[in-house]
C-alpha cells in the first residue's frame, strides 16, 4: 500500500493515530517510574553514603575535622541555680596521677583547671591534649616555678611567654590564666602580663599532708559558692582527696566547674589588673 494512494481521510486517520502514540510515550514512562522499589532505593542510598565515606575528598575532609578537634563545651544553664566550686591543680601534669584524675572526674560531672608548669609540657603532651579536649581549662604556672618576686621584669616575661608558647604548640591556643608560683604576685608582676591572675581561697594543704582524708576535710570545711580550691595533680593522695571532697560536696548541691565556666556563671568581667582569689 503506497501512501500516495490513500485518501486524504485515511492519511488524516494514520497521522492522528501516530500522533496519539507519540503523545502516550511520556505517560507510559512516567507510570513506570512511579513504581518505586524502596528496597532498591535503600540499597542505593547506602551505597551512595559508603561511596561518600570512601571518597578521598570526603575522607580527607573528615581527617581535617579530627585535626581541628574542639574541646567539649558544656551547657551551663543546668548549673545556674547551683553552688559552684573550681578545683584547680598546679605543678603537673604527671601522666600517672593526672590520668587518674581525668578518668575519675566524669563520675562527678566535674571539669577542673590545670595550671601547668612549662618544664613539664614536652614530656606530657598527650595528657595535656586529653585534658583540654575533655573541656578542662589549661592555665599557666610559669616555666620553671621560680619565685617571681626575685626575678627581673625580663625574666618574668620569659617565664610566662615560654610556657604559653609550649602549651600553644600542643593545644593550639595560648592560655589566658596565670597562677604565679606560691601565689606570689604584686602590681609589678601584674603589669608585666596580659593574662588573668588566678590564685585561690581554699588551700587543701595536700602537699603537706599527702593524706586523702585530711585533704578532703580541708576542702569540705572551707568550701563555699564561688570558691577556688588549690591542689596538685602530681600526688595520688591529692587526686583521691579531690574525689572524696567531690563525693561530699555533690550531696551538698555543688557543681564542679572550670575557671572559665565560673567566670561565665558569675557574670564576671575579668581584668588584667586584678588578682582573683574567689568569684
Ligand atoms: Zn606550684
Amino acid at each position: 500500500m503506497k501512501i500516495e494512494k490513500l485518501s486524504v481521510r485515511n492519511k488524516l486517520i494514520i497521522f492522528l493515530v501516530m500522533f496519539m502514540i507519540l503523545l502516550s510515550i511520556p505517560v507510559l514512562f512516567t507510570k513506570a517510574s512511579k513504581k518505586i522499589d524502596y528496597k532498591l532505593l535503600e540499597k542505593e542510598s547506602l551505597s551512595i553514603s559508603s561511596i561518600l565515606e570512601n571518597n578521598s575528598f570526603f575522607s580527607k575532609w573528615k581527617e581535617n575535622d579530627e585535626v581541628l578537634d574542639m574541646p567539649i563545651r558544656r551547657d551551663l544553664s543546668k548549673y545556674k541555680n547551683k553552688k559552684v566550686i573550681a578545683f584547680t591543680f598546679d605543678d603537673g601534669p604527671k601522666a600517672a596521677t593526672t590520668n587518674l584524675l581525668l578518668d575519675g572526674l566524669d563520675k562527678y560531672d566535674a571539669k577542673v583547671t590545670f595550671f601547668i608548669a612549662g618544664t613539664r609540657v614536652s614530656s606530657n603532651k598527650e595528657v595535656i591534649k586529653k585534658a583540654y579536649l575533655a573541656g578542662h581549662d589549661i592555665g599557666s604556672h610559669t616555666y620553671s616555678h621560680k619565685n617571681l618576686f626575685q626575678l627581673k621584669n625580663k625574666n618574668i616575661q620569659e617565664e610566662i611567654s615560654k610556657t604559653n608558647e609550649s602549651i600553644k604548640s600542643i593545644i593550639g591556643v595560648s592560655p589566658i590564666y596565670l597562677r604565679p608560683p606560691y601565689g606570689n604576685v604584686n602590681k609589678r608582676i601584674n603589669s608585666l602580663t596580659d593574662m588573668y591572675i588566678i590564685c585561690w581561697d581554699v588551700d587543701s594543704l595536700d602537699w603537706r599532708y599527702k593524706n586523702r582524708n585530711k585533704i578532703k576535710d580541708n576542702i569540705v570545711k572551707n568550701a563555699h559558692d564561688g570558691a577556688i580550691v588549690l591542689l596538685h595533680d602530681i600526688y595520688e593522695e591529692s587526686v583521691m582527696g579531690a574525689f572524696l571532697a567531690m563525693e561530699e560536696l555533690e550531696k551538698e548541691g555543688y557543681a564542679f566547674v572550670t575557671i572559665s565556666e565560673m567566670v561565665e556563671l558569675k557574670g564576671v568581667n575579668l581584668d588584667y589588673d586584678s588578682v582573683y582569689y574567689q568569684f
Side-chain angles (χ1 to χ4, degrees), residues 90-91 141 145:
D90 291 11
D91 296 5
H141 197 37
H145 210 280

Side-chain angles (χ1 to χ4, degrees), residues 31-45:
K31 279 201 173 163
S33 71
K34 273 189 181 162
K35 277 188 181 171
I36 295 169
D37 185 338
Y38 287 100
K39 277 198 176 154
L40 188 72
L41 259 189
E42 205 177 327
K43 260 189 206 165
E44 275 170 4
S45 70

Side-chain angles (χ1 to χ4, degrees), residues 31-261:
K31 279 201 173 163
S33 71
K34 273 189 181 162
K35 277 188 181 171
I36 295 169
D37 185 338
Y38 287 100
K39 277 198 176 154
L40 188 72
L41 259 189
E42 205 177 327
K43 260 189 206 165
E44 275 170 4
S45 70
L46 277 177
S47 64
I48 287 168
S49 59
S50 72
I51 288 166
L52 287 181
E53 271 177 27
N54 294 324
N55 178 289
S56 67
F57 170 74
F58 285 97
S59 49
K60 206 171 177 187
W61 180 46
K62 272 179 72 185
E63 268 169 35
N64 278 342
D65 226 11
E66 278 159 19
V67 172
L68 295 171
D69 282 341
M70 291 297 288
I72 289 171
R73 287 278 167 260
R74 301 197 286 185
D75 171 15
L76 296 182
S77 57
K78 62 178 171 175
Y79 309 111
K80 281 237 159 81
N81 299 315
K82 287 196 145 200
K83 292 182 278 186
V84 284
I85 190 162
F87 280 63
T88 65
F89 294 86
D90 291 11
D91 296 5
K94 188 175 164 190
T97 42
T98 307
N99 273 312
L100 180 71
L101 175 66
L102 289 174
D103 293 345
L105 289 172
D106 281 350
K107 189 181 166 197
Y108 307 101
D109 186 28
K111 299 292 178 200
V112 301
T113 301
F114 294 95
F115 289 103
I116 288 176
T119 49
R120 304 190 71 92
V121 172
S122 64
S123 51
N124 290 286
K125 290 178 187 170
E126 286 309 309
V127 73
I128 292 170
K129 203 168 177 201
K130 182 174 158 188
Y132 173 69
L133 292 177
H136 306 290
D137 266 356
I138 307 293
S140 162
H141 197 37
T142 73
Y143 199 79
S144 47
H145 210 280
K146 287 178 180 143
N147 178 358
L148 300 185
F149 288 159
Q150 295 170 349
L151 297 187
K152 290 178 182 156
N153 290 355
K154 183 178 76 107
N155 300 115
I156 292 173
Q157 282 166 328
E158 231 174 62
E159 281 282 318
I160 293 166
S161 61
K162 248 170 105 177
T163 312
N164 288 355
E165 280 158 26
S166 56
I167 291 175
K168 191 179 177 184
S169 74
I170 310 295
I171 61 172
V173 289
S174 201
I176 58 169
Y177 303 119
L178 174 70
R179 171 161 294 162
Y182 317 102
N184 286 353
V185 64
N186 56 20
K187 280 212 167 117
R188 178 174 72 101
I189 294 161
N190 238 351
S191 70
L192 289 173
T193 174
D194 51 358
M195 295 179 78
Y196 303 116
I197 312 266
I198 310 292
C199 286
W200 64 89
D201 73 333
V202 175
D203 193 345
S204 69
L205 295 173
D206 57 338
W207 55 274
R208 184 184 297 165
Y209 295 116
K210 298 195 184 83
N211 174 299
R212 60 187 74 183
N213 284 305
K214 276 194 176 163
I215 293 165
K216 181 258 293 175
D217 289 342
N218 280 336
I219 299 169
V220 172
K221 75 176 181 219
N222 295 305
H224 63 90
D225 182 29
I228 303 173
V229 182
L230 171 66
L231 284 144
H232 301 82
D233 53 321
I234 50 174
Y235 309 117
E236 190 178 330
E237 287 304 296
S238 303
V239 173
M240 300 315 291
F243 291 154
L244 290 174
M246 285 175 179
E247 193 94 39
E248 287 197 18
L249 293 172
E250 196 176 44
K251 289 177 201 150
E252 293 179 24
Y254 280 94
F256 312 106
V257 296
T258 64
I259 294 295
S260 302
E261 290 174 330

